Amino acid sequence: MHRKLACLILIGVCGVAFAQTSPKLRSLKVKMFPGAQALPVIAAASQRIFERHGLKVEVLFTANSQEQRDGLAAGKFQIAQAAVDNAVAMVELASKDVVIVSGGDSSMNELFVQPEVGSYADLKGHTLLVDAPNTAYALQLKKILLMNGLKEGADYKLNPIGGTTLRLRGMRENKEFKAAMLNPPFSIDAKAAGLKSMGRAVDLIGPYQANGSFVLRSWARANRDSLERYIAGLIEGTRWAVSPANKDAAVKILSERLKVTPEVATQTWEILSDPKVGLARDGRFDMEGFRNVLALRAEIEGTWGGKPPAPERYVDLSYYEGAMERLTR
């Protein structure tokens, strides 16, 4: 009897000790655009991948780049997922010390125009839609047009209407808005609506490091362990997202979260899983593409006197490397 009682007490003590030492999930907030590029993060959250890395990640969607940049600077969330040129803009235009810690994709952008536009010259004198006029995909648009003899202000105007959802809606509802950069799933809807693609951005202007993760550098230094756990979850979320074995589940996530039909979601997944144009394998950072990002800003905006700086000024991949080490242990 005494032996049984002792065993029960021991089990109870062990149970209490386990409950007290069981790791509590660390809470993080990440803010991103509600596009196809969000799939790896949504997958990592919905498939409990982040939980396995000790994290509870809340996914927030942003309406535009300015809202996202201001929110990150104010500490309203810890991680931003967006075109990494926004991180460069935060450093150069807002004097915020942010650092890029992972890659994601090459934007998957295409330049869409109204169906009656037959050439770049037809865009002269018209208004084109962008998110923020001084970052990322707006710079892609400006470069493409500059290569075809059109200069902002002199030949066309920009309307900073907001994210991709708003750009597509703007072009569908107002035929006076003649062009915009669009990526999946919105590019698929654009084609179905009769809008015309002038080509993929990477085919027109070369390699491009688009979506990635960036954070305040001070937060990264103080929270290296949490950041590495997040990136490890992101890497596994990317692997899950493009695996053929998970196609049906991924299509369902895309359809439900992005409010698109299963058919559009399926086409979107096929683009995302294409290693040539879709998600970067393991969320890797494309340094050549990032050099092009900096070169575009130098040329189009005149930043740094027209000479792009070394990319290491804005990037610290030691957190990504630490995350990969965690996954290989």
Side-chain angles (χ1 to χ4, degrees), residues 18 21 33 35 62 69 110 138 150 200 204 218 247 252 292 310:
F18 178 79
T21 59
F33 285 89
T62 189
R69 299 196 307 244
E110 297 179 57
L150 301 180
R200 289 193 175 107
L204 298 172
S218 58
K247 178 179 179 179
K252 184 178 180 182
N292 200 18

Side-chain angles (χ1 to χ4, degrees), residues 8-21:
L8 290 172
I9 292 173
L10 181 60
I11 292 171
V13 170
C14 288
V16 171
F18 178 79
Q20 290 175 341
T21 59

Side-chain angles (χ1 to χ4, degrees), residues 260-278:
V260 297
T261 66
E263 292 75 19
V264 169
T266 298
Q267 293 178 61
T268 299
W269 182 86
E270 289 170 351
I271 295 171
L272 291 174
S273 60
D274 185 336
K276 293 182 179 179
V277 299

Side-chain angles (χ1 to χ4, degrees), residues 1-13:
M1 180 68 180
H2 292 294
R3 185 174 297 175
K4 288 183 179 179
L5 180 60
C7 287
L8 290 172
I9 292 173
L10 181 60
I11 292 171
V13 170

Side-chain angles (χ1 to χ4, degrees), residues 304-324:
W304 314 293
K307 292 185 177 181
E312 289 76 14
R313 177 178 177 180
Y314 309 97
V315 183
D316 186 346
L317 296 180
S318 67
Y319 301 99
Y320 180 91
E321 293 163 359
M324 288 295 287

Side-chain angles (χ1 to χ4, degrees), residues 130-308:
V130 296
D131 176 12
N134 55 6
T135 62
Y137 304 157
L139 300 189
Q140 284 186 330
L141 176 62
K142 291 180 186 180
K143 173 62 175 178
I144 293 168
L145 297 183
L146 187 61
M147 291 170 63
N148 288 277
L150 301 180
K151 295 182 179 180
E152 181 193 2
D155 298 309
Y156 63 89
K157 296 189 300 182
L158 294 180
N159 179 354
I161 196 172
T164 318
T165 308
L166 298 176
R167 297 199 297 277
L168 174 58
R169 183 187 303 168
M171 288 187 70
R172 293 179 69 171
E173 295 179 353
N174 189 342
K175 300 301 181 182
E176 293 304 309
F177 296 144
K178 295 299 181 183
M181 303 300 293
L182 303 175
N183 54 21
F186 311 103
S187 53
I188 297 169
D189 281 338
K191 290 175 183 177
L195 299 178
K196 184 168 58 177
S197 173
M198 300 290 279
R200 289 193 175 107
V202 292
D203 294 330
L204 298 172
I205 61 173
Y208 190 86
Q209 171 55 58
N211 187 57
S213 311
F214 51 97
V215 299
L216 293 174
R217 196 183 296 268
S218 58
W219 182 86
R221 288 171 175 164
N223 297 275
R224 174 176 285 273
D225 186 67
S226 293
L227 181 53
E228 287 184 358
R229 289 171 183 265
Y230 173 82
I231 297 172
L234 175 64
I235 292 169
E236 289 196 310
T238 303
R239 293 173 180 174
W240 185 96
V242 299
S243 171
N246 301 321
K247 178 179 179 179
D248 291 345
V251 166
K252 184 178 180 182
I253 290 173
L254 289 168
S255 180
E256 292 177 349
R257 296 299 183 97
L258 304 184
K259 310 299 182 187
V260 297
T261 66
E263 292 75 19
V264 169
T266 298
Q267 293 178 61
T268 299
W269 182 86
E270 289 170 351
I271 295 171
L272 291 174
S273 60
D274 185 336
K276 293 182 179 179
V277 299
L279 296 174
R281 182 179 179 184
D282 289 348
R284 289 175 182 167
F285 188 81
D286 180 358
M287 191 61 76
E288 181 184 2
F290 186 59
R291 288 192 176 94
N292 200 18
V293 169
L294 297 177
L296 281 180
R297 177 165 288 280
E299 177 187 2
I300 303 300
E301 296 296 299
T303 312
W304 314 293
K307 292 185 177 181

